């Protein structure tokens, strides 16, 4: 009987924006614009870093990887969400839902790990400047990126297996616009308490432990910077960290609310709003913050734009 019940649900209805029937087309237009800007901004960041030799240092190598991960992360969620705005039947297949969740969580976990790695990079750069080229060599940087991606997708695969081996017996209306942990657990007609504990531990490791690691890095950075005698030196040291800090606060703030906050305290509309911030605003924030606040990136962008304008004149 239990085996038969597991095969009853073959698709899920995504009800994330169902409370706004009159706003489907306006939301489609607004989110399409945000998505296009996000793609363009991240592609520009990647291209600029790849073409400008002055940016071929670990900090921008990690930023380049983060931008690529953000593109993939958006690609997993946004196109399907946009298509659902124009569909009457807002469904996703059982396999499609599992695939989306695995990839979505995989890139989300990878981004958290990458932000922690970038925090460590800032710590080495400011606290151990003479040993920085030796400690943060290309080999180590590549290994850190590979480790972040492997860990992220190992966690997401584990969570996906735990969720999709649960029995889904009938109700298939997800209170979300994507396949995520909490709404799927709510729909399941059976519980796996050990599995839920494992999922909670993974969330704590990815969100809290990564954030605490970044926090420790910045405590050590602040301790070093405060010993710099000149105000200009302190300002310069802190300015190299400002962009990363802004992205960290927004990213981990949203992730903490979604995955570690009390689930019953949020309505469907509130959950949708918070997740939109996490899935659409954060990928856009990364390139905007780094391009607006980082002088090295600004100079490289101006160089690239200057070369393009010169080429067009010729």
């Amino acid at each position: 009987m239990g085996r038969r019940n597991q095969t009853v649900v073959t698709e899920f209805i995504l009800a994330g924006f169902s409370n706004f029937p009159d706003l489907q087309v306006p939301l489609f237009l607004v989110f399409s614009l945000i998505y296009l800007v996000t793609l363009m901004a991240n592609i520009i960041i990647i291209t600029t870093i790849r073409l400008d030799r002055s940016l071929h240092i670990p900090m921008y190598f990690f930023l380049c990887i983060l931008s690529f991960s953000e593109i993939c992360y958006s690609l997993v969620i946004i196109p399907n969400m946009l298509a659902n705005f124009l569909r009457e039947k807002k469904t996703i297949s059982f396999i499609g839902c599992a695939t989306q969740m695995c990839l979505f969580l995989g890139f989300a976990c990878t981004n958290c790990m990458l932000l922690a790695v970038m925090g460590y990079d800032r710590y080495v750069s400011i606290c151990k400047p003479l040993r920085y080229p030796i400690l943060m060599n290309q080999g180590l940087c590549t290994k850190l990126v590979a480790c972040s991606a492997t860990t992220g997708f190992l966690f997401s695969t584990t969570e996906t297996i735990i969720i999709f081996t649960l029995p889904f017996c009938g109700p298939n209306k997800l209170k979300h616009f994507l396949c995520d942990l909490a709404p799927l657990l709510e729909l399941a007609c059976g519980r796996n308490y050990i599995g839920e504990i494992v999922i909670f531990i993974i969330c704590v490791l990815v969100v809290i432990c990564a954030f605490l690691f970044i926090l420790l890095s910045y405590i050590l950075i602040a301790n070093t910077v405060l010993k710099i005698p000149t105000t200009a030196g302190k300002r310069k040291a802190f300015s190299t960290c400002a962009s990363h800090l802004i992205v960290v606060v927004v990213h981990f703030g949203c992730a903490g609310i979604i995955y570690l906050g009390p689930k019953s305290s949020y309505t469907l509309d509130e959950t949708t709003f918070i997740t939109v911030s996490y899935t659409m605003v954060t990928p856009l924030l990364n390139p905007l913050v780094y391009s607006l606040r980082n002088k090295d990136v600004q100079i490289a962008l101006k160089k690239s734009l200057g070369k393009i304008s010169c080429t067009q004149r010729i």
Side-chain angles (χ1 to χ4, degrees), residues 41-263:
N42 279 292
I43 288 169
I44 288 169
I45 287 286
I46 293 169
T47 306
T48 303
I49 291 170
R50 296 297 298 169
L51 293 178
D52 196 300
R53 287 185 174 276
S54 66
L55 300 182
H56 290 184
I57 58 173
M59 175 182 174
Y60 297 111
F61 170 71
F62 293 130
L63 175 58
C64 187
I65 299 297
L66 182 63
S67 289
F68 176 74
S69 182
E70 295 284 21
I71 289 171
C72 297
Y73 172 80
S74 300
L75 197 63
V76 171
I77 304 162
I78 310 305
N80 186 64
M81 183 188 78
L82 293 174
N84 281 337
F85 281 127
L86 305 179
R87 290 177 188 152
E88 279 191 36
K89 195 179 179 185
K90 306 176 192 301
T91 59
I92 186 169
S93 69
F94 190 90
I95 298 297
C97 190
T99 304
Q100 185 190 61
M101 193 178 88
C102 185
L103 292 174
F104 157 63
L105 291 176
F107 286 115
C109 291
T110 300
N111 291 346
C112 288
M113 303 291 181
L114 284 172
L115 287 169
V117 167
M118 291 169 80
Y120 175 71
D121 172 69
R122 290 298 82 214
Y123 158 74
V124 176
S125 174
I126 292 170
C127 300
K128 302 178 186 292
L130 297 178
R131 298 183 64 197
Y132 180 67
I134 299 167
L135 292 174
M136 297 302 292
N137 58 72
Q138 186 61 46
L140 177 63
C141 291
T142 304
K143 287 175 185 174
L144 287 172
V145 169
C147 183
S148 298
T150 303
T151 306
F153 278 92
L154 180 64
F155 284 162
S156 73
T157 303
T158 303
E159 290 172 320
T160 303
I161 291 169
I162 290 169
I163 293 293
F164 283 90
T165 50
L166 292 172
F168 291 92
C169 322
N172 67 336
K173 190 174 182 179
L174 276 177
K175 296 178 180 178
H176 219 319
F177 62 86
L178 57 85
C179 295
D180 206 355
L181 295 167
L184 283 163
L185 277 172
E186 193 178 313
L187 279 187
C189 47
R191 300 292 295 273
N192 178 351
Y193 292 102
I194 294 174
E196 289 180 35
I197 291 168
V198 170
I199 288 173
F200 180 74
I201 290 169
I202 288 172
C203 291
V204 169
L205 285 172
V206 172
V207 179
I208 302 243
C209 292
F211 181 76
L212 288 176
F213 181 82
I214 294 168
L215 187 63
L216 175 62
S217 297
Y218 276 104
I219 289 170
L220 295 172
I221 287 169
N223 184 52
T224 300
V225 170
L226 291 173
K227 293 176 183 176
I228 297 173
T230 63
T231 306
K234 289 176 183 177
R235 191 181 295 115
K236 183 180 178 182
F238 276 126
S239 69
T240 63
C241 302
S243 302
H244 180 248
L245 268 174
I246 293 168
V247 174
V248 163
V249 169
V250 175
H251 187 94
F252 283 94
C254 291
I257 291 170
I258 293 168
Y259 296 106
L260 298 174
K263 304 295 182 288

